[in-house]
Amino acid sequence: DAKTTQPTSMDCAEGRAANLPCNHSTISGNEYVYWYRQIHSQGPQYIIHGLKNNETNEMASLIITEDRKSSTLILPHATLRDTAVYYCIVRLSPTGTASKLTFGTGTRLQVTL
Amino acid sequence: GAVVSQHPSWVICKSGTSVKIECRSLDFQATTMFWYRQFPKQSLMLMATSNEGSKATYEQGVEKDKFLINHASLTLSTLTVTSAHPEDSSFYICSARDRRSSYNSPLHFGNGTRLTVT
């Protein structure tokens, strides 16, 4: 699986948009970009994933650059409950198998009042 | 949505004893489950892949005789830490994917089990 690079930590004011970048310059054509977050002392929570098109769901938006070498997770209106470690994972998904997820160090997002 | 339940959520045991952790998929069936370990202030490290009806696949450096994995049904995988020692104290997390979902569907995670060995 391609390696990802994320900033170690970021701050965001409550109510503002949180934009979390991820670099995956060695991504290959059939690798998906997944985002998970982990709130302290809990298991990871799935947020969103995409291949090459931008994606949006009730939690966040995922913007993938045209060359797919980087992406940005956007939390449109961050709240204190969004304080967590956010993991960007690039995962090869061969057909018919449940491929594993390899976690990097992630970005620690601190949402403040 | 898909729910993965782990039990217990925390456990304290004495050095030398064994501890069993359960991972259940509550509303879906999973042919494959994954076990992770997380030490304080570190990321999740994959320990093993648990396959229903067959032997687990362990990551390099993980002792299969110490971390026994059993995946006897499509909704239950267990991790047994045998002869636990203080260095085994960690946060253990399992994940699973609905067997009916597409290959790129996300994995669902349990809320983890915090093991403390005294």
Side-chain angles (χ1 to χ4, degrees):
Chain A
D1 291 348
K3 181 181 171 62
T4 62
T5 304
Q6 298 178 253
T8 304
S9 63
M10 293 181 65
D11 291 332
C12 178
E14 188 175 36
R16 305 297 291 266
N19 298 288
L20 292 89
C22 179
N23 183 286
H24 31 80
S25 58
T26 60
I27 193 171
S28 61
N30 54 356
E31 289 181 312
Y32 285 75
V33 180
Y34 293 78
W35 283 85
Y36 284 78
R37 72 180 181 184
Q38 186 178 26
I39 295 170
H40 184 61
S41 294
Q42 296 183 23
Q45 177 189 22
Y46 165 77
I47 301 173
I48 199 167
H49 75 285
L51 182 62
K52 52 184 177 182
N53 297 322
N54 297 338
E55 302 287 346
T56 295
N57 63 20
E58 65 278 4
M59 288 183 69
S61 295
L62 173 60
I63 308 298
I64 303 174
T65 58
E66 193 169 339
D67 62 7
R68 303 209 322 122
K69 294 185 176 182
S70 65
S71 61
T72 301
L73 177 74
I74 301 173
L75 307 178
H77 305 286
T79 70
L80 296 177
R81 286 177 294 183
D82 292 321
T83 293
V85 177
Y86 287 76
Y87 296 98
C88 167
I89 303 169
V90 174
R91 172 187 175 208
L92 178 64
S93 295
T95 303
T97 67
S99 61
K100 57 190 178 184
L101 287 176
T102 301
F103 286 79
T105 53
T107 296
R108 184 171 298 276
L109 175 68
Q110 179 69 53
V111 181
T112 58
L113 290 172
Chain B
V3 177
V4 176
S5 175
Q6 273 186 250
H7 179 80
S9 55
W10 60 270
V11 58
I12 301 172
C13 72
K14 291 189 176 181
S15 188
T17 61
S18 296
V19 174
K20 179 185 284 187
I21 301 170
E22 294 186 346
C23 177
R24 294 182 185 271
S25 53
L26 296 187
D27 50 0
F28 65 97
Q29 293 181 327
T31 50
T32 303
M33 293 184 177
F34 302 92
W35 286 95
Y36 291 82
R37 179 170 54 181
Q38 185 176 34
F39 292 107
K41 302 196 178 197
Q42 294 186 23
S43 188
L44 285 79
M45 296 297 295
L46 180 66
M47 298 175 67
T49 302
S50 167
N51 301 297
E52 187 266 337
S54 64
K55 291 183 178 181
T57 303
Y58 291 82
E59 296 297 303
Q60 191 173 8
V62 178
E63 300 175 58
K64 63 180 182 183
D65 294 329
K66 179 167 184 64
F67 299 99
L68 301 179
I69 291 173
N70 183 280
H71 193 156
S73 78
L74 289 172
T75 59
L76 174 65
S77 175
T78 61
L79 168 69
T80 301
V81 183
T82 63
S83 187
H85 287 97
E87 57 265 30
D88 298 322
S89 297
S90 189
F91 193 47
Y92 292 86
I93 308 167
C94 72
S95 70
R97 195 197 74 183
D98 190 333
R99 62 182 278 198
R100 299 167 303 177
S101 60
S102 60
Y103 66 92
N104 62 329
S105 295
L107 297 179
H108 302 282
F109 286 80
N111 259 337
T113 296
R114 186 161 302 283
L115 169 64
T116 302
V117 185
T118 61

